[in-house]
Amino acid sequence: MPHPRVLNLSAKEHKVNPLLIIRGSILLAVICMLTPASPQAAGRSGSEGHAMAPDFTLRTMHGELFTLSQHLGKGPIVLNFWATWCLPCIAEMKSLKTIHDSRRDMGLQVLSLSVDDHKTAGKVRSHVKSRKIPFTILMDTQKQVFDAYHATSMPSLFLLDKDGRIVYRHMGYKNGDEKELIARLDALKD
Amino acid sequence: MLGVPKPFLAPLLLTAGISLAAGETGRLGGSSETRFSESVEGRKLNRYFENWTDLSYEQGAYRLDVGYEAHLPPAPASRDTAGQGIYQRTFTFRKDGLTFKAGNYFSKLGNGLTLVAERNRDIGFNTNLDGFYGEYGSQAIEIKALLGSPRDAAGRRYPALQAGEFRYSAMKGFLGATFVTTRTTEDDNDYWGSAYFGVNGEHSNIQVEWAARRFAENHGLHRVAEDYGSVFPEGKAVYASGNLSLGKFSLFLEGRHYQDFNLFEGAIYNNPPAGIKEHVFSFPNNHQLVQNADNERGVHFSLDFPLREENTASFDYSKTVSINGDHDLYEEFHAQIDLDGSLPVTGVAAIGHQTDLESRNFNFILHTGLPLGERYALKAEWQHQHTTILLTDRMFYGDQFILGLERSPNLVLCVIAEASTDQLESSPLAYSQAKLWTGFQVNWNFLKHHHLTAFLGTRKKGKVCAGGICILKPAMQGVELALASHF
């Protein structure tokens, strides 16, 4: 029996409403009209056909505010989404440390966004310290940035050029995956 | 208030109008996740098909998110949260530290003691709020205010919550407060809120949050509280956590005390920290009892320290007892070594012991990876669990073996085998012949934007837990496909 305080919406919520489909179709049509067919006409989308990364503001592991757009223009940026309970994430972090050390001259920044929720976020600090992770750790405890980037699995990695365009993305991690990232970074250098 | 308006067309038309007038174009993005399974259970054929498609359109400071879901029929995990059609429509404006949302949104106040609206598709959990949300954030001040109808497991909406949070940060410290209210009857409200503070030092940090709840006068729990003569007749909760670096050692400690603080009125309003370890592997993660923890107190202690080269050792201990301390609810010891050094073999070795209300478990885990050249790697994993049912002294064990071949960057092939005596009758000290489940799994990245996971074989029934919430997945014999795409 539904709780007496339940709003009387259940009947509508569990049926496919034709009106919603019509509205959805109008929505998609408007969006398609607004989105250019040619990347060159995209303006904000970048002349190379790569989309701009969504801007975000998060707190670091130490509580300071960090806004992505304020750190553009210095060099390429690697965003990697990870969590303390994700085993491939730990392996990827190790490869990123090696890449970060070897490409400091490029101005490479690695931003590690922890998607540990409020239940495991407290453990992030000791996890980072014990593994000597040198990157800026940002706390995405509500997965807002994870969802904004349409990441679908863990770990997820995005490479941004110095202007903030997403030039490469990769889901998951296996031994050897870093080679593609290195090649992309070297292409940006050239 | 019993409801909030559902803005949809208005912000859509507004966004379209602004875009056309500005002569600019925005960015369209999206992702889609599809899950399909067909399996046999005796003579019964089970089949489910689920799809979530999320689209976003971003134009300057504006963003429109639309989410569509279909469950035809729903998977066992989704059965209680199944909805059809557009499950999310959100208009977001974000500029210069100011954020405004209209539609469906997720939120958390403080440490989750007073309000959490979140989702997890693997366990079919979605408690989004429907209404309005506003936030202003700067380095020193953060203010949140929201008005939204919460959602229960069946997708039904409840009267709107009105909530807010204020946080002030200065130097290395911060303090703040949260507040939530909802109408329970025609003339009375439930109120709850919290106050918190914290300090972030270079080598240590600490945060503490106190929360309290006031029930409406005619609320059943209010009468119970009066009968027991509590100092705080309404619910209360305290949560604290901290980190401390002592040379090479990194110490994490958290403690909690939750008393009559299960904020649940059909819809679950909060999800406080469970205070137990979230494991990387499935076997030790199989016995989380805590769901929206209440009337309990406990501690969790974790120590990490580096070994030679890149290797790390960690030790965890947690204990949870009933609020009166008269019986133990959960206790765990866990030790783990992560091998990431210069050895040709990497991996994890772990050992643990867990005791809960129904069973005592011993876990042993070995996970190794051997690189084969530049792009290939061999993976092997063994999980072992020995269980004793406390009430009957019945004992059984389970083992899971995974052997996988990885080829960067696209392909993983795995053979999975699980053996268990769990479902067979056995005398207290005898080990019966194990039953075997086997399967083959492929993970494949293709065409840059797609990821396919395919499983063929049999799988034992068991719990799947995430963030302290567990669901029971039935046994299966058949095929499972999951396709995730993004653009």
Side-chain angles (χ1 to χ4, degrees), chain B residues 104-229:
Chain B
N104 304 104
Y105 58 90
F106 302 97
S107 183
K108 174 179 69 71
L109 301 182
N111 286 293
L113 270 65
T114 52
L115 183 66
V116 176
E118 58 187 353
R119 71 175 171 191
N120 187 310
R121 286 175 187 165
D122 292 332
I123 56 176
F125 192 78
N126 185 333
T127 57
N128 72 76
L129 297 168
D130 189 20
F132 299 97
Y133 174 87
E135 177 182 332
Y136 172 74
S138 68
Q139 182 59 45
I141 292 175
E142 190 174 312
I143 302 172
K144 297 178 185 175
L146 65 90
L147 172 70
S149 293
R151 182 180 188 268
D152 72 3
R156 295 175 292 219
R157 292 287 173 188
Y158 283 74
L161 300 174
Q162 298 158 58
E165 179 175 4
F166 174 82
R167 173 182 164 134
Y168 174 69
S169 303
M171 298 169 71
K172 298 287 187 182
F174 61 91
L175 54 87
T178 71
F179 176 78
V180 186
T181 181
T182 183
R183 184 163 292 277
T184 54
T185 66
E186 289 298 321
D187 54 4
D188 205 353
N189 280 29
D190 274 350
Y191 299 92
W192 61 95
S194 70
Y196 60 84
F197 81 92
V199 179
N200 282 314
E202 175 143 357
H203 301 289
S204 64
N205 77 307
I206 186 170
Q207 58 170 346
V208 184
E209 183 171 0
W210 292 270
R213 177 183 185 180
R214 177 263 181 195
F215 297 116
E217 286 294 328
N218 61 350
H219 196 291
L221 283 174
H222 188 272
R223 292 192 293 274
V224 170
E226 285 179 332
D227 291 342
Y228 281 92

Side-chain angles (χ1 to χ4, degrees), chain B residues 170-310:
Chain B
M171 298 169 71
K172 298 287 187 182
F174 61 91
L175 54 87
T178 71
F179 176 78
V180 186
T181 181
T182 183
R183 184 163 292 277
T184 54
T185 66
E186 289 298 321
D187 54 4
D188 205 353
N189 280 29
D190 274 350
Y191 299 92
W192 61 95
S194 70
Y196 60 84
F197 81 92
V199 179
N200 282 314
E202 175 143 357
H203 301 289
S204 64
N205 77 307
I206 186 170
Q207 58 170 346
V208 184
E209 183 171 0
W210 292 270
R213 177 183 185 180
R214 177 263 181 195
F215 297 116
E217 286 294 328
N218 61 350
H219 196 291
L221 283 174
H222 188 272
R223 292 192 293 274
V224 170
E226 285 179 332
D227 291 342
Y228 281 92
S230 303
V231 174
F232 287 99
E234 334 297 2
K236 63 177 179 178
V238 181
Y239 174 76
S241 71
N243 289 272
L244 179 64
S245 294
L246 296 169
K248 291 184 179 180
F249 293 84
S250 299
L251 181 65
F252 170 71
L253 186 65
E254 61 179 340
R256 68 202 187 283
H257 179 110
Y258 304 150
Q259 183 173 355
D260 292 329
F261 210 75
N262 186 339
L263 299 171
F264 174 80
E265 290 283 345
I268 299 175
Y269 297 149
N270 69 338
N271 196 8
I276 57 177
K277 181 175 175 62
E278 186 98 9
H279 288 278
V280 170
F281 300 97
S282 57
F283 274 30
N285 233 11
N286 211 22
H287 284 267
Q288 291 188 23
L289 290 183
V290 182
Q291 295 186 23
N292 203 24
D294 193 26
N295 285 319
E296 62 175 44
R297 50 191 168 93
V299 294
H300 171 212
F301 163 85
S302 179
L303 181 68
D304 289 356
F305 50 96
L307 300 174
R308 283 179 57 183
E309 299 175 350
E310 301 280 332

